Amino acid sequence: MSVNQQAHTGPPYGQPQPGYQGYQQPAYGGQSLPGVPQAQYGAYNGPMPGYQQPVPPQGYFPSLGFPSKGSPVSLNSDTSSLAPNFIGSLRAPPTSGAPPPASGASHPSGHLAYSQFEHGDVQNGIPASAAPMQRPPASQPFLPGSAPTPVSQISTFQQYGPPPASVQQLRNHMAGMTIGSTAASAPPPAGLGYGVGPSSYPPTTGAPRPPAMPGPPLPGQTVAGPPSSQPNHVSSPPPPSTMAGLHPGPPMSGLQGPPPPTHPPQPGYQMQQNGSFGQMRGPQPNYGGAYPGAPNYGSPPGPPPPPKRLDPDSIPSPQLNELPPQQKPRHRIDPDAIPSPIQVIEDDRNNRGSEPFVTGVRGQVPPLVTTNFLVKDQGNASPRYIRCTSYNIPCTSDMAKQSQVPLAAVIKPLAALPPEETLPYLVDHGESGPVRCNRCKAYMCPFMQFIEGGRRFQCCFCSCVTEVPPHYFQHLDHTGKRVDFYDRPELSLGSYEFLATVDYCKNNKFPSPPAFIFMIDVSYNAVKSGLVRLICEELKSLLDYLPREGNMEESAIRVGFVTYNKVLHFYNVKSSLAQPQMMVVSDVADMFVPLLDGFLVNVNESRTVIASLLDQIPEMFADTRETETVFAPVIQAGLEALKAAECAGKLFIFHTSLPIAEAPGKLKNRDDRKLINTDKEKTLFQPQTSFYNNLAKDCVAQGCCVDLFLFPNQYLDVATLGVVPYQTGGSIYKYAYFQLETDQYRFLNDLRRDVQKEVGFDAVMRVRTSTGIRATDFFGAFYMSNTTDVEMAGLDCDKTITVEFKHDDKLSEDSGALLQCALLYTSCAGQRRLRIHNLSLNCCTQLADLYRNCETDTLINYLAKYAYRGVLSSPVKTVRDALINQCAQILACYRKNCASPSSAGQLILPECMKLLPVYLNCVLKSDVLQPGPEVTTDDRAYIRQLVTSMDVAETNVFFYPRLLPLTKADVDSDSLPAAIRNSEERLSKGDIYLLENGLNIFVWVGVNVQQGLIQNLFGVSSFSQISNALSTLPVLENPFSKKVRSIVDMLQGQRSRYMKLIIVKQEDKLEMLFKHFLVEDKSLSGGASYVDFLCHMHKEIRQLLS
């Protein structure tokens, strides 16, 4: 049998499984991968003649980074199928008489080949090493002059230690190779830095193009990359710095052992992929197209042997000194053999996207957030309102502790629904109000049990029996159901609203409609940048789009205007005035509102006065020289105005700089990067004064919500300024280095959506649970004055509250567990309402049932929020270690109690948690937990607050961005091109890709993209003419341009914020920023690659099990 031939395996990862029909099965043979362009690397000429291949020391695999005597281990994903669901192919042993193997080493027949794609009768996997893996010392510098350490060393999260002895030999070996047909023109292998200089400059926008990059290293040269990392939230592209020579960076991937020689092509057979250089990996789902020009060689394949299950630990391992020298340096896991987020998302879409999700059954796991599906409410709340980490919860606290799976629900009470779904019905019970349980005060819902012919009902939460009020009485049918069951939303639906009575209102009187107050910074920076004029122009038209109740002709919301620098200016815009009047309050230490009548007005009545004011503001302050600002008095002024008007409302504050003027809430610049990775790092996330916490408390009491738009050119302490928006349920938007031409479109889109979106005021939320569990912890943008009530001055349709539950008693499998979320709020028309969401979950006595009904996306949402709160009180390293430990315990518990017995060397993951390691690694590498040198303190505080109120769909794309090959898009259909995995080796130089993470959209253009495509998309004739400064794609009349723009618009429409468009040209300065989001690769700030992290998790799990 041929060496190049693939042995038949048990079902490879991605084959149909029980209960998972319709898996698309990628081919896993020695076929070439369709659609991966040849580009990246030229043909190899093989080793230099007469060159002696060095032999590494015995017992050492350079590509693993630690001594290993044992055989390699398989990496398995567990399912209930009989044949193991092996990740990775089984390799058949070579037979004699075969042509030389792909690695170029002519090893003796019968010996097992240990390179990545060779065919030893062994599964790819993580080595079962006898020696424990050592954590390298933290932040060991990577010395210039030493070769990069090999790729697959088990990664921890520090920088890597000094290279081992054999690496020097490897480097010498590399020096004797010609990579590509001519050494000089060889592009660097995937993952090598392109030689960008350090980037420690203050970013601004509109920068000129960076200078041309130095060429790739010649063979044998040390490759050094910049030690920089990039923020998750991108400020504008920084200008090029002077390139003072290359700085040594952390070790880069890409050098893995000597390259194979190219055999002369023989017609008819396809190239065996060899994973040591270049892009050929295994088949990647959704990667269509042909691989042009691959050399074909090898003998015809023989018949496949029968499938067999392998236990890697029982395979006799050849002694290292018997192996051909070429194979020892290479031994790694095939990235295509580990669980792929893209494949899981695709499978769920295919399996669950066509049928509506009917909520009538208890404990159903909904489709993934990435799947488009319709929801039919039949008694449980839609997953758009509530998603849980598990839909089958352990009956006892001991079981919950053993599994370590957190029990949490991510609740989005006012979520927007697609047009095809019905909004919650509004039920009016008149003056008596909603029917509730006498004891626990739960609201009437589908799970209440009517008894005694319908005269009483038993509460499903506390079992108390309550009389049915006479007006609510109805007879029961033969099944014990009320006859009017289907006529009453509260008896038949999971989500509905009650009209609240006066008892549910503050001071027992119905609320007034809310007010919006626009507060504009008119200091020098704001005026000079054109921001003040832009805001005033936009408000003229935007005020016609204030939110209103369903069929109302005009909005009930009143508006007011304030401008400020070191003092505050209030405006009287009463409709009877010919011109607006300005009143200045300079005593900022004791803030008061100088006018009552004429400050808050109806837009339609005062339209001409408002228009006149918005025209005059930019002129009035055009020549200002005032650079200092106040901040706390601005919020106090808005709060006092709402108090005086006796209404709730929202402040829209547009602010540019650190408030250093003498006033309450004055701040100092405390930005200190030296605190990173110290015990004091947590202070960077904490507010520098308690003043703003007290102010937030007053705002919540009044129902005054704050939305903050920031336009910083330097540090302005988001951690402190964000306290009031955060605790009042508001939002923060940040536009660093704001420039009119590139950022105005994004800012105006955010402002429009923020003003128009549905919002509830003066909100209080309580989550009730059935006996046995209770809500113990809450995450999100809100304030809590007691342990049960979540208070928000405002709650919009994008905000989520995450609730964690703990056991306080046993649960029973028969009755399951119930949650009821009740939100009391004032609508934008001033109506007091109660929105109710109910959800029933299953309970289990077997751990396997828990693991079968988990939702990884929700789990990651919870874990990220838990970690992001942890950094306020603990060192970041402690938080990271706790995350890794918890996930290792979750997976070890599964392995120990649920998986079928198999060798300890196999990593076995639960089917619905197989993406936990890749997603967790993305959270660990995020800018809050592992910042690179370019991430500012403000960026980290901003991201931390943003993620804390994200829903599951937003955290999913934020931590694992979506990467689409635009050149594969079908211009004639409405569909998106199939996504690909987030790794540099998936990119081809001849293609254009789009990457989105909910905050940014990158369009990456390869250097070899056809001229016609560049012309069609950018309207310029060559790669070098594409401008980095574009903030929108040019509107061109051709199918490709229309298709790409429609994709961008479609993605923008799915996100709650307008994403910043960034054009990235390959080998350009901005490419480092783009690579930061290729989350399956090693990050420049020291984060592990997906493969390395999986190995690390496996090691942690094995330690727990032993």
Side-chain angles (χ1 to χ4, degrees), residues 621-688:
F621 298 99
D623 300 323
T624 184
R625 285 280 167 267
E626 186 53 74
T627 56
E628 292 187 358
T629 56
V630 295
F631 184 69
V634 181
I635 297 175
Q636 287 170 325
L639 173 61
E640 292 303 322
L642 294 177
K643 270 187 188 164
E646 296 186 339
C647 68
K650 186 181 266 201
L651 313 181
F652 295 83
I653 303 180
F654 305 91
H655 189 78
T656 61
S657 59
L658 191 71
I660 53 171
E662 269 314 316
K666 171 186 172 181
L667 300 179
K668 59 181 193 291
N669 186 337
R670 52 155 188 172
D671 190 17
D672 186 359
R673 295 196 56 86
K674 291 198 281 296
L675 297 182
I676 292 177
N677 294 327
T678 69
D679 285 352
K680 288 190 178 166
E681 183 170 5
K682 57 183 179 233
T683 59
L684 297 174
F685 296 111
Q686 298 164 354
Q688 59 173 282

Side-chain angles (χ1 to χ4, degrees), residues 369-433:
V369 283
T370 42
T371 300
N372 280 330
F373 59 98
L374 270 182
V375 180
K376 288 201 171 142
D377 185 341
Q378 292 191 358
N380 281 295
S382 158
R384 303 191 206 288
Y385 294 123
I386 307 184
R387 275 185 179 266
C388 294
T389 52
S390 178
Y391 288 81
N392 201 334
I393 61 180
C395 283
T396 65
S397 61
D398 289 348
M399 212 172 137
K401 281 194 193 97
Q402 188 185 355
S403 75
Q404 287 285 314
V405 176
L407 306 175
V410 179
I411 306 174
K412 196 175 181 182
L414 297 179
L417 299 182
E420 313 83 80
E421 292 177 21
T422 320
L423 289 168
Y425 290 99
L426 182 58
V427 179
D428 184 357
H429 282 314
E431 284 183 17
S432 58

Side-chain angles (χ1 to χ4, degrees), residues 777-779 804 864-874 879 944 948:
D777 210 350
F778 302 84
F779 304 82
E804 186 180 9
K865 290 172 181 177
Y866 184 77
Y868 281 16
R869 186 178 68 184
V871 298
L872 291 173
S873 52
S874 307
V879 173
R944 196 192 76 75
T948 307

Side-chain angles (χ1 to χ4, degrees), residues 392-396 399 811-813 843-849:
N392 201 334
I393 61 180
C395 283
T396 65
M399 212 172 137
L811 295 164
S812 92
E813 281 190 278
C843 296
C844 59
T845 52
Q846 298 296 318
L847 282 164
D849 293 327

